[in-house]
Amino acid sequence: MLTPEDLQHIRRLQLRLSRQVDAPFSGEYRSAFRGNGMEFEDVRAYVPGDDVRRIDWNVTARAGSPHIKEFREERELCLMLVCDVSASMRFGSKGVDKRRQQARISGALAYAAIRSGDRVGLLRFAEGIEQFIPPKKGRGHVWRVIQSAFDISTEGKGTSFQEAVQHLQLGLRGRMTLVFVSDFLIPESELQSLRALALKHSVHAFVVHDPLEENLPQKGLFHLRDAESGGSTLVDVSQLSGERSIEKRVQVLQRLGVQACAVSTQSDIISVLLSHFRQLRAR
């Protein structure tokens, strides 16, 4: 359960985010995420000055003259934050662990969603589903989301993305924006279920890592303990560094159709989120 220190930290975080998630930040969020929430409405004849990228070539071929697709922005976006609360998320150096950075990311996105008139929900998972908060609006709801994102009390220590994906596929209706926040320290084969989600929804991933994880010795054999299984094993660090590098994890997710972004526990999350929003718009 949350300690008094945790609650104090969350209150400070809430005050900070309420100041930083201002109009410019919310505008960037709306342009990036709401820009993906477009629904096809109709086809009409091309008019000089229209965006040629919107030409419907099938209709153009049948009609014998250029026609373009028209879209309308969805009135309301539904944002679902999907937080990994497995044991490895408790790791951190220099006073900040991955769970705190996860709570900051979730809180900032929740605030931006509320200010944009969107609904936001939260799913916490480890080996199974730990908590599900249905999407809704309201400032009190944001407080609950931040508290839950910060709470790492779980029944399981491991990580099962398949369980999380199955729960989302069964419980979600309509197109959504899904944001996974995890360290993604699992085999690539276990992430394949994300591909199916990315075909239907707009899926984003923030890969949280700690600088200490990226500064392992270049070579040598070491006994390492797995935070999730509790087991200890002899590991060739040179091989581990390649398999678990932050670049490798981001690349794996991108191949699955996920918009992935690396976030250090020492990063300023407002800067990271703004950079992610602008990259999405550029694409």
Side-chain angles (χ1 to χ4, degrees), residues 59-97:
V59 175
T60 296
R62 291 196 301 269
S65 60
H67 281 68
I68 66 167
K69 297 177 181 177
E70 285 194 313
F71 297 86
R72 61 180 174 84
E73 186 178 20
E74 293 177 358
R75 291 184 179 180
E76 180 181 83
L77 179 144
C78 190
L79 176 69
M80 178 60 67
L81 303 167
V82 189
C83 296
D84 172 8
V85 293
S86 60
S88 65
M89 292 296 290
R90 303 181 189 186
F91 180 79
S93 61
K94 299 182 180 180
V96 181
D97 59 20

Side-chain angles (χ1 to χ4, degrees), residues 3-271:
T3 66
E5 291 75 16
D6 288 338
L7 290 172
Q8 285 183 355
H9 180 81
I10 294 171
R11 290 191 180 96
R12 289 195 297 269
L13 174 62
Q14 186 187 31
L15 290 172
R16 179 191 171 201
L17 290 176
S18 64
R19 291 193 300 267
Q20 288 189 292
V21 183
D22 51 12
F25 182 92
S26 297
E28 293 285 354
Y29 157 88
R30 189 178 299 107
S31 297
F33 282 3
R34 296 289 292 271
N36 293 326
M38 307 295 287
E39 289 186 343
F40 173 76
E41 187 168 54
D42 201 358
V43 175
R44 64 169 173 81
Y46 174 84
V47 175
D50 285 336
D51 187 347
V52 295
R53 293 174 296 181
R54 292 164 51 196
I55 292 178
D56 187 321
W57 295 106
N58 291 328
V59 175
T60 296
R62 291 196 301 269
S65 60
H67 281 68
I68 66 167
K69 297 177 181 177
E70 285 194 313
F71 297 86
R72 61 180 174 84
E73 186 178 20
E74 293 177 358
R75 291 184 179 180
E76 180 181 83
L77 179 144
C78 190
L79 176 69
M80 178 60 67
L81 303 167
V82 189
C83 296
D84 172 8
V85 293
S86 60
S88 65
M89 292 296 290
R90 303 181 189 186
F91 180 79
S93 61
K94 299 182 180 180
V96 181
D97 59 20
K98 297 176 193 175
R99 64 170 182 162
R100 291 198 175 190
Q101 202 68 324
Q102 180 186 74
R104 292 168 179 169
I105 294 168
S106 301
L109 289 174
Y111 265 111
I114 294 300
R115 291 198 174 188
S116 297
D118 299 328
R119 292 178 297 140
V120 59
L122 177 74
L123 175 71
R124 297 169 64 247
F125 74 98
E127 292 174 11
I129 305 304
E130 299 286 339
Q131 183 184 22
F132 176 69
I133 300 176
K136 61 184 296 187
K137 300 180 181 182
R139 292 189 175 274
H141 184 68
V142 172
W143 168 251
R144 185 185 177 197
V145 166
I146 296 175
Q147 275 188 301
S148 298
F150 197 87
D151 183 5
I152 61 165
S153 59
T154 62
E155 295 182 6
K157 293 184 177 181
T159 310
S160 175
F161 275 88
Q162 188 172 356
E163 287 281 341
V165 169
Q166 287 178 349
H167 186 90
L168 291 169
Q169 288 175 326
L170 291 173
L172 299 182
R173 295 292 181 270
R175 194 171 187 273
M176 303 187 70
T177 296
L178 305 173
V179 177
F180 285 80
V181 189
S182 168
D183 53 16
F184 292 91
L185 288 174
I186 63 172
E188 181 176 346
S189 59
E190 296 182 25
L191 290 172
Q192 294 302 312
S193 57
L194 292 177
R195 188 188 298 275
L197 277 183
L199 291 174
K200 183 178 180 181
H201 305 280
S202 176
V203 182
H204 306 257
F206 290 94
V207 186
V208 186
H209 64 100
D210 188 86
L212 190 59
E213 296 172 323
E214 299 297 306
N215 292 313
L216 295 171
Q218 294 298 309
K219 58 183 178 179
L221 297 175
F222 291 84
H223 278 284
L224 298 179
R225 184 176 67 84
D226 190 313
E228 297 187 0
S229 68
S232 177
T233 186
L234 188 64
V235 174
D236 182 343
V237 175
S238 61
Q239 181 180 0
L240 182 67
S241 298
E243 292 176 349
R244 296 198 170 190
S245 71
I246 187 64
E247 293 83 4
K248 167 88 174 189
R249 283 176 269 169
V250 169
Q251 290 169 5
V252 167
L253 290 163
Q254 290 174 339
R255 287 199 298 268
L256 295 173
V258 176
Q259 305 286 349
C261 174
V263 185
S264 167
T265 54
Q266 303 304 308
S267 296
D268 176 74
I269 57 104
I270 299 297
S271 298

